[in-house]
Amino acid sequence: MCGIVGVASQGNVNQEIYDALLLQQHRGQDSTGIATAEPNGVFHLFKAKGQVREAFRTRDMRALLGNIGLGHVRYATKGTASSEEEAQPFYVNAPYGIVLVHNGNLTNTRELTEELFRKDRRHLNTSSDTELLVNVLANELQASISGLDLDHEQIFQAVSRVHERVEGSYAAIALIAGYGLLAFRDPFGIRPLCMGRGADGTVILASESVALEGTTHQLERDIAPGEAVFVQLDGSVQTRQCA
């Protein structure tokens, strides 16, 4: 298992993500990572081997600017536990720029790897199934876009197509540059994911409710199996049952 968290707020979110990861440290001790985005869409990302307290220094936290972001603590069930390259989050630059964290195990990795190479013309650099997932999402998002801008209808359509292609257990949170946070859960709800809010309107998504309550947020509900949640930069939330 792994621990994931995503936060959308009006202020800097680096400390809230860090604190939420500490509260979920029991879900993974191999590596950790945080990615944030500024309103202009610029990503800041840091990931390293080891536990949260070991990995992040003050200078690393200061560099993680932005009012929206996500984080991950890893327990390696796919790929190489000791490889820093397989630490999450994973990033792809098109469309728009996507950073993704994932908890779960994909079971059709061989077929997806073949499809991504022969059909989608996408290059994979690791054996991580998270890299597979972010590339499938990026490809389906690209196919759903009808104009320059992106709306939640296109996002939910892409998530539905991801469910059609991907098999296994997965709860994922993705940060789309300039648009917001996307969270989705596999159709059987095998991996946990919940949502909550802060008194200031902050929206938080995490693997466990302890990450919400321990950072003074109020638990609202679990994300349903097959459901997708999109949190825009202004904090508004759209949901859709995509499987």
Side-chain angles (χ1 to χ4, degrees):
M1 65 180 179
C2 299
I4 61 176
V5 61
V7 181
S9 182
Q10 296 305 307
N12 284 333
V13 295
N14 53 356
Q15 190 63 51
E16 285 184 281
I17 295 171
Y18 179 93
D19 294 341
L21 291 179
L22 278 179
L23 291 163
Q24 296 186 109
Q25 185 70 85
H26 59 280
R27 297 188 66 89
Q29 295 86 39
D30 294 328
S31 63
T32 183
I34 293 176
T36 59
E38 296 184 70
N40 61 7
V42 174
F43 283 142
H44 303 280
L45 190 152
F46 180 84
K47 55 184 181 178
K49 292 187 291 184
Q51 299 184 26
V52 176
R53 289 191 188 276
E54 302 169 341
F56 294 97
R57 298 289 182 263
T58 301
R59 63 179 180 272
D60 304 319
M61 294 296 292
R62 285 175 177 167
L64 293 169
L65 304 172
N67 63 336
I68 191 166
L70 45 73
H72 184 269
V73 287
R74 181 176 185 240
Y75 173 77
T77 53
K78 178 72 176 176
T80 306
S82 61
S83 174
E84 194 169 302
E85 293 176 356
E86 297 198 358
Q88 298 183 38
F90 273 87
Y91 166 76
V92 291
N93 67 351
Y96 305 109
I98 302 171
V99 180
L100 182 140
V101 291
H102 155 241
N103 169 36
N105 290 96
L106 308 189
T107 56
N108 62 333
T109 55
R110 185 179 301 175
E111 294 89 341
L112 284 174
T113 301
E114 187 79 5
E115 282 180 16
L116 284 168
F117 176 72
R118 298 195 178 277
K119 180 182 175 184
D120 304 324
R121 300 292 188 264
R122 286 184 171 268
H123 172 71
L124 301 174
N125 202 48
T126 71
S127 59
S128 170
D129 53 356
T130 305
E131 189 179 18
L132 281 170
L133 185 58
V134 69
N135 274 278
V136 171
L137 174 63
N139 191 76
E140 297 308 325
L141 202 55
Q142 185 77 60
S144 299
I145 299 167
S146 56
L148 180 63
D149 293 325
L150 183 67
D151 61 38
H152 64 274
E153 293 291 339
Q154 294 166 331
I155 291 172
F156 293 145
Q157 183 182 30
V159 173
S160 295
R161 291 176 178 170
V162 169
H163 290 319
E164 292 172 3
R165 294 184 64 178
V166 173
E167 297 174 6
S169 61
Y170 51 94
I173 303 174
L175 177 54
I176 306 173
Y179 288 95
L181 274 180
L182 168 66
F184 56 94
R185 199 174 172 201
D186 71 76
F188 298 99
I190 300 170
R191 300 295 181 177
L193 193 62
C194 60
M195 179 172 68
R197 291 180 190 268
D200 60 353
T202 295
V203 179
I204 181 170
L205 301 125
S207 296
E208 296 186 16
S209 60
V210 65
L212 282 59
E213 294 157 351
T215 53
T216 69
H217 298 90
Q218 184 71 37
L219 173 67
E220 283 192 352
R221 64 182 180 88
D222 287 335
I223 306 304
E227 184 182 15
V229 175
F230 181 58
V231 186
Q232 294 180 282
L233 297 178
D234 63 1
S236 60
V237 177
Q238 282 87 29
T239 66
R240 178 73 53 84
Q241 194 67 37
C242 294

